[in-house]
Amino acid sequence: MQNWLFVFIFKIVSFDIIIDTISMSVVCLLLGSNLGDRYAQMEKAEDLLCRTTGKKLTASGYYRSPPWGFASRNDFLNRALLFDTVLSPREVMFNCLETEKKLGRLRNTTGYADRIIDIDILFYDDLIIHEPGITIPHPRLEERRFALAPVAEIAPGWKHPLLGKNAVALLEQCPDHSEVIPWEPDQG
């Protein structure tokens, strides 16, 4: 009995050590929607991402803003999420694209358009990646108030690895002066 107990305790201790040595990264995702029940779509996306991407650390509030880069009568809702993850940037990107597909997103290759759900990687630790299919930090993040407002809320000290400025400074200096306002689910 004593040998069995020793082996059991040793297995638990060694498992804990293995878990502690796994490298965690922080990834920031931006959810957006301007079609249908925007709030419900974003809640579904968040739920799926929590199951596939890692441990959600925090989430910003919701923000309403006009479309950026194209004309539409449909305002967007946006929300940023921070995750601890063991996944690589490409694996996180795969999860984002799969989540969009599960929720009915059809990718438009001819430019910006209305969308039921949009999920972008804004940053992944302080990595800089420029490869086919993935760019981190997100290109033109510093030009998009609708993305910077939620990031500044949940990660104000995050420093853009290319520009050397934190999220709050980027928001203050953002050339985009679109109206980005907090939104609550009971506002419809």
Side-chain angles (χ1 to χ4, degrees), residues 29-33 41-47 49 62-63 76-81 83 96 99 117-120 122 146 150:
L29 304 179
L30 184 71
L31 308 182
S33 175
Q41 291 300 329
M42 291 172 63
E43 288 290 300
K44 289 176 191 172
E46 184 173 334
D47 181 57
L49 290 166
Y62 290 90
Y63 291 85
F76 271 87
L77 284 186
N78 290 288
R79 181 179 206 190
L81 307 172
F83 285 92
C96 293
T99 298
I117 192 70
D118 185 39
I119 307 169
D120 293 322
L122 297 183
F146 69 87

